[in-house]
Amino acid sequence: MNSKDSRKTYRKGPVVLRGTQIPAQTSDQRLLSPAQSSDWVHDDPWRVMRIQSEFVEGFGALAELGPAISIFGSARTKPDHPDYAIAERAAQLIVERGYAVITGGGPGVMEAANKGAHEAGGTSVGLGIELPFEQGMNQYVDLGVNFRYFFARKTMFVKYASGFVVLPGGFGTFDELFEALTLVQTHKVTEFPIALVGRDYWGGLVDWLKGAVAERGMINPSDVDLFHVVDTPEEAVQIVADRADAMRSGYVFATEGEEPVEA
């Protein structure tokens, strides 16, 4: 690779920046930083137009996507890690069930899921985000949208997904997971299925939720039933796709183990 190819690349929405053009702060950092003067009175109303454009672009790009399932997980997962193969297999199974696959479009688990969907002949979607360090859209994304603002991107994940498959990940994965759980718990969205893959990874979190959190009354004990913990991609996809199919057909599951009833 020559020196030109190895230059650091920074994506700011649809704009590509290199060298001295790379900003010191991301769009989210500038938006959320405390105002130091009255300049925000003039800047923020115009920023709203940029935010609006992100929603318009996202809605326009995904409006005809059809049913889809999102896969979340760590960007740090290497191709030789078992989680990479699990994500790839889960995406293949999702495509076989007639769903597109949505990821964050980056490396690791996201790349694996996009690869699985692409190679299975399905629609592979990546929703990228402006970050201080370059990740870029992985090569297996068929339909990609880059966002400046996390909240605009998150809206697309929830609006266009019929369910979530969540593999081991860090703060970003936790953020997506708990936002989805909060929206379901508070009935801000129609209840949709969430499957966590890897009991060895998620078991401690589940124990903490059932123990310290529920015992203090911070959540209802039944809130832990808003998601399912499994060990294989087959189990995860069956849970998520079966429930998504039922909801698309106008049926819902009242409680765990019950037959679907008409909504």
Side-chain angles (χ1 to χ4, degrees):
M1 179 179 290
N2 60 42
S3 60
K4 183 177 180 181
D5 292 334
S6 62
R7 292 175 65 198
K8 181 179 179 182
T9 301
Y10 187 97
R11 285 182 170 80
K12 185 177 181 182
V15 180
V16 174
L17 302 171
R18 294 190 177 97
T20 58
Q21 296 299 310
I22 295 177
Q25 291 183 307
T26 67
S27 299
D28 269 328
Q29 285 175 320
R30 290 191 296 276
L31 174 65
L32 300 175
S33 65
Q36 301 299 316
S37 68
S38 61
D39 289 346
W40 66 270
V41 174
H42 307 289
D43 294 341
D44 280 3
W46 287 105
R47 186 175 286 129
V48 168
M49 300 298 291
R50 179 180 293 165
I51 294 169
Q52 177 179 298
S53 74
E54 291 220 327
F55 282 104
V56 171
E57 290 169 1
F59 292 153
L62 301 175
E64 298 181 2
L65 175 63
I69 291 173
S70 292
I71 297 180
F72 299 110
S74 177
R76 303 184 184 192
T77 301
K78 303 300 182 184
D80 59 352
H81 193 281
D83 288 345
Y84 192 99
I86 290 173
E88 189 173 349
R89 177 59 176 159
Q92 292 169 350
L93 294 170
I94 288 169
V95 168
E96 290 175 5
R97 293 291 300 265
Y99 291 84
V101 171
I102 303 175
T103 80
V109 165
M110 295 174 282
E111 176 185 287
N114 287 131
K115 179 182 179 183
H118 173 77
E119 294 186 347
T123 303
S124 174
V125 181
L127 306 180
I129 186 67
E130 176 190 347
L131 293 172
F133 44 90
E134 169 64 10
Q135 287 186 316
M137 201 73 75
N138 69 68
Q139 63 179 317
Y140 301 106
V141 170
D142 300 318
L143 171 59
V145 185
N146 280 306
F147 293 89
R148 289 183 175 92
Y149 302 103
F150 265 111
F151 53 83
R153 178 185 186 233
K154 287 180 176 180
T155 300
M156 304 304 151
F157 276 124
V158 175
K159 178 173 176 58
Y160 293 102
S162 299
F164 291 167
V165 173
V166 188
L167 275 74
F171 288 156
T173 302
F174 303 154
D175 180 41
E176 297 290 356
L177 169 61
F178 278 101
E179 178 165 30
L181 289 173
T182 301
L183 291 172
V184 175
Q185 180 200 48
T186 57
H187 304 290
K188 288 294 185 180
V189 296
T190 303
E191 183 176 353
F192 56 86
I194 302 169
L196 312 186
V197 185
R199 286 189 173 90
D200 59 337
Y201 187 82
W202 298 107
L205 173 64
V206 175
D207 291 342
W208 176 67
L209 291 173
K210 289 181 176 179
V213 181
E215 288 171 3
R216 289 197 181 192
M218 303 302 172
I219 62 172
N220 291 324
S222 61
D223 287 338
V224 182
D225 296 330
L226 295 176
F227 59 88
H228 303 263
V229 184
V230 301
D231 279 323
T232 69
E234 288 79 10
E235 293 175 289
V237 174
Q238 182 174 356
I239 289 170
V240 173
D242 282 356
R243 291 208 169 197
D245 285 349
M247 289 187 293
R248 290 173 61 200
S249 300
Y251 288 81
V252 296
F253 292 83
T255 59
E256 180 65 22
E258 289 189 359
E259 293 296 320
V261 295
E262 190 169 359

